[in-house]
Amino acid sequence: MPDWEKRFRAPRIGLPEWAEDAPDRSLFVSNATGTFELYAWDRATGGQRQATDRPNGTTDGTLSPDGEWIWWFSDTDGDEFGVWMRQPFAGGADEPAAPGLAASYPGGLAIGRDGSAVIGRSTDDEGSTVHVIRSGEAPAEIYRHRESAGVGDLSHDGSLIAIEHTEHGDAMHSAIRVVRADGSTVAELDDTHGGTEELGLSVMGFAPVDGDARLLVGHQRRGRWEPMIWDPLAGTETPLAIDLPGDVGADWYPDGSALLVEHEYQARSELWRYDLSEPVQDPERLTRVDTPAGSVSGATARPDGTVEFLWSSAAQPPEVRSTSGKVVLDPPGMKAPGSVPVTDTWVEGPGGTVHALVQQPAGKGPFPTVFDIHGGPTWHDSDAFASSPAAWVDHGFAVVRVNYRGSTGYGRAWTDALKHRVGLIELEDIAAVREWAVSSGLADPERLVLAGGSWGGYLTLLGLGMQPESWAVGLAAVPVADYVTAYNDEMEALKAMDRTLLGGTPEEVPERFEASSPLTYVDAVRAPVYISAGVNDPRCPIQQVENYVQRLEQRSHPHEVYRYDAGHGSLVVEERIKQVRLELDFAQRFVKADARDDA
């Protein structure tokens, strides 16, 4: 078995979540059976069991505070439309967790200590709703709005509910409303001031102490994400002295005495502890939590004060580690082979300095090179382990990943820059990095592959049409291909995001949708095109892909399409391997890794 397949097949484990009032009871995600599913773990006995078993996998789940119940979201073949189910932690039959609620897209979940729950949901017809669920009672709707909204958190005593909403119409910048269980408003925090300023807020969690109304809130007031403490009952806001560059997130230590700070900067991450003893603005209260160089993909503080975190780097596969020095969970069986480390490059682009991560095979360039474009767009590539780029390196390709404008981790202005020139902004940054890659001798200009999934797949198709002379092959997974049809068919929350990005609907700003749609430029495409798409995808629906493919067919343009029975990607290891193999085979038909100019 080649190393690239081993990386996909090797069992992986996600960061375990633990029940707040029963910390020995944990829930984690693993692909040990070949499909990503939820597993229950009793730390006291060491016992583990698989809790879910579905053909297309399950990853969305949580524990009740007392650890008695596992809640998990049941959709149909990856369509993200379904209902919450629950089962006893020790095992037993699944049952509907909120039998009075019809199927919907999930919009957040918070479970109370009294057995109640707060469920957020959305549908194309109803918009966003929030419901309080109590045993033996019909669900009580406490919130409804056409724009995107969802449950942020429930206070420790169950008296307060935090709702993130975008009633002001800007889906990129949420406001926060705290309500009581009857839906009555306690307080509102809106940095957009009714949609007039592009400043977002995010719920990071209520204090984990009974009777404590403090809410940890992420804000962008200083040009990047960072936390503050808001008391909606007292009406006070407490800034924190966390002067770290880049974006900062945080969560509470279990006793509420400190915060576990997650710091993202230049595609790496690290952890810090912030002591909340008075005065909380004292910078001396910030101390480093020791983690290796690379990326922390999640972290949690345990009741004993230790911190567990999921860590990896581009060269080293992920591990669930602890500050105690132990590996928390070591999956059985085959271990994933490592890969090559990334190097950083900084390229001056038309909108500022663009950060790119580069991996290259042994030997001397120029190499055939894959520009692997991340999805999102509000996401970023980091120095974290990724099996797909490693597969390309194994086959003799260099890999370049570009954190274009729109990416997170580089400040609010960088993330918000793509509005109204959607796709065009990102391609300008990719073009600048492409020019560097060729001029530096890394990349062979005749053997460049443009590839990506989701938003990266969208940028791939758009780039093939707008920069036809730049690319030898295009590989687009679950892409936006026809922006107008995609808008009309996609889930309501993404329609709201598209209205924010483009400044309106296709009827209101048709010229912007046309300028940003890959279908507009399909007749200019020169490179062979490979497309993979999930037939149940609610984010990049299948019909708009078919419209694009039909145009390729009318031109008799070289292309292949792979349709699979799932949603926006697959949780099945064999399916993922099949997709990567198809991409490798397609690209290698047109770009030979061993055909060096100097050979």
Side-chain angles (χ1 to χ4, degrees):
M1 185 187 302
D3 280 355
W4 76 266
E5 286 193 32
K6 291 179 182 177
R7 294 190 192 97
F8 284 97
R9 295 187 196 278
R12 291 195 184 183
I13 287 177
L15 180 70
E17 171 193 342
W18 49 274
E20 293 180 48
D21 298 335
D24 280 341
R25 293 191 168 187
S26 292
L27 187 70
F28 63 87
V29 175
S30 177
N31 65 341
T33 64
T35 302
F36 284 92
E37 295 286 2
L38 297 170
Y39 288 76
W41 173 31
D42 189 327
R43 296 177 185 235
T45 65
Q48 297 178 12
R49 69 173 187 88
Q50 184 177 338
T52 56
D53 185 7
R54 301 193 302 152
N56 285 292
T58 314
T59 58
D60 197 354
T62 192
L63 291 170
S64 59
D66 59 9
E68 292 296 322
W69 293 96
I70 297 170
W71 287 55
W72 60 276
F73 190 75
S74 175
D75 64 354
T76 302
D77 297 329
D79 67 358
E80 302 181 43
F81 195 84
V83 298
W84 285 100
M85 303 290 290
R86 69 176 192 170
Q87 67 173 258
F89 180 83
D94 293 306
E95 64 183 36
L101 289 181
S104 67
Y105 298 112
L109 168 70
I111 305 173
R113 284 166 169 76
D114 61 355
S116 65
V118 185
I119 296 179
R121 55 193 296 278
S122 68
T123 66
D124 294 341
D125 295 332
E126 297 177 291
S128 302
T129 59
V130 175
H131 306 259
V132 173
I133 309 299
R134 292 186 176 89
S135 179
E137 300 180 17
E141 181 182 302
I142 63 168
Y143 178 90
R144 176 181 290 260
H145 201 277
R146 286 302 311 172
E147 297 291 348
S148 299
V151 177
D153 198 17
L154 179 67
S155 64
H156 191 273
D157 61 9
S159 64
L160 301 174
I161 301 165
I163 297 174
E164 285 189 26
H165 71 83
T166 58
E167 294 173 7
H168 47 267
D170 182 350
M172 293 183 70
H173 303 96
S174 296
I176 298 174
R177 181 173 301 147
V178 173
V179 301
R180 298 198 184 277
D182 61 1
S184 59
T185 298
V186 174
E188 179 93 16
L189 198 60
D190 180 11
D191 281 6
T192 75
H193 301 291
T196 60
E197 294 188 39
E198 295 181 336
L199 291 172
L201 297 167
S202 65
V203 173
M204 294 179 173
F206 278 105
V209 180
D210 214 29
D212 191 339
R214 292 179 301 167
L215 181 64
L216 193 60
V217 170
H219 68 91
Q220 298 179 303
R221 296 173 183 176
R222 297 199 300 171
R224 49 91 185 253
W225 282 108
E226 58 184 321
M228 69 175 181
I229 295 174
W230 176 44
D231 189 328
L233 295 183
T236 58
E237 299 175 14
T238 305
L240 304 175
I242 305 178
D243 290 320
L244 300 170
D247 286 342
V248 178
D251 197 1
W252 299 89
Y253 271 74
D255 62 0
S257 66
L259 301 178
L260 178 60
V261 174
E262 298 185 39
H263 174 223
E264 296 275 351
Y265 183 58
Q266 297 184 350
R268 276 87 180 174
S269 50
E270 59 187 13
L271 300 177
W272 298 74
R273 186 183 190 276
Y274 192 93
D275 189 344
L276 290 177
S277 302
E278 295 294 340
V280 296
Q281 294 88 354
D282 184 353
E284 295 298 320
R285 304 203 178 279
L286 185 66
T287 57
R288 177 76 182 271
V289 176
D290 187 35
T291 59
S295 292
V296 175
S297 301
T300 180
R302 293 281 292 165
D304 63 1
T306 61
V307 175
E308 295 178 352
F309 56 96
L310 180 61
W311 174 90
S312 72
S313 70
Q316 294 179 262
E319 290 182 334
V320 181
R321 298 187 175 189
S322 169
T323 52
S324 68
K326 299 177 181 178
V327 174
V328 177
L329 282 174
D330 187 17
M334 177 173 56
K335 305 302 180 185
S339 186
V340 299
V342 295
T343 57
D344 300 84
T345 190
W346 300 87
V347 178
E348 290 306 313
T353 305
V354 185
H355 185 201
L357 302 174
V358 179
Q359 291 172 278
Q360 65 184 67
K364 183 180 178 182
F367 301 102
T369 301
V370 176
F371 276 68
D372 185 11
I373 310 303
H374 72 73
T378 51
W379 191 252
H380 68 272
D381 277 316
S382 60
D383 182 10
F385 196 75
S387 296
S388 291
W392 287 108
V393 174
D394 286 358
H395 286 80
F397 289 77
V399 177
V400 178
R401 291 181 283 169
V402 182
N403 283 331
Y404 51 76
R405 277 171 288 173
S407 302
T408 53
Y410 301 88
R412 179 177 63 85
W414 191 259
T415 302
D416 289 352
L418 59 82
K419 290 177 66 175
H420 300 177
R421 294 189 64 235
V422 175
L424 316 182
I425 287 284
E426 303 95 297
L427 288 181
E428 290 175 355
D429 294 343
I430 293 168
V433 177
R434 178 197 178 277
E435 182 178 349
W436 164 83
V438 171
S439 63
S440 69
L442 171 75
D444 182 343
E446 303 300 319
R447 296 184 290 163
L448 296 182
V449 179
L450 186 59
S454 191
W455 198 263
Y458 158 64
L459 293 176
T460 294
L461 295 184
L462 191 64
L464 295 179
M466 296 193 70
Q467 304 166 346
E469 297 180 357
S470 296
W471 310 105
V473 176
L475 309 171
V478 291
V480 174
D482 169 3
Y483 218 138
V484 173
T485 302
Y487 175 87
N488 290 329
D489 292 351
E490 69 193 3
M491 58 202 301
E492 184 61 37
L494 292 183
K495 288 181 181 177
M497 178 61 76
D498 282 336
R499 290 194 297 271
T500 296
L501 289 173
L502 290 153
T505 67
E507 292 75 26
E508 293 167 338
V509 287
E511 72 287 351
R512 289 179 181 169
F513 275 84
E514 182 179 13
S516 294
S517 178
L519 189 66
T520 302
Y521 312 97
V522 64
D523 291 337
V525 173
R526 296 185 183 182
V529 184
Y530 172 86
I531 299 174
S532 60
V535 297
N536 304 313
D537 191 345
R539 298 173 181 268
C540 299
I542 191 66
Q543 184 56 55
Q544 51 95 28
V545 172
E546 302 293 3
N547 294 348
Y548 186 92
V549 171
Q550 186 177 26
R551 290 283 295 274
L552 292 176
E553 291 172 344
Q554 291 171 355
R555 293 179 53 205
S556 298
H557 186 80
H559 71 281
E560 287 186 7
V561 183
Y562 174 63
R563 303 167 183 87
Y564 57 94
D565 188 18
H568 199 62
S570 177
L571 300 175
V572 180
V573 171
E574 289 297 333
E575 175 61 37
R576 185 68 188 118
I577 290 172
K578 180 180 181 180
Q579 292 178 25
V580 173
R581 184 182 290 115
L582 288 170
E583 291 176 349
L584 288 164
D585 291 346
F586 186 87
Q588 288 177 312
R589 275 184 250 158
F590 304 98
V591 174
K592 301 298 183 184
D594 56 354
R596 299 287 179 85
D597 293 339
D598 58 351

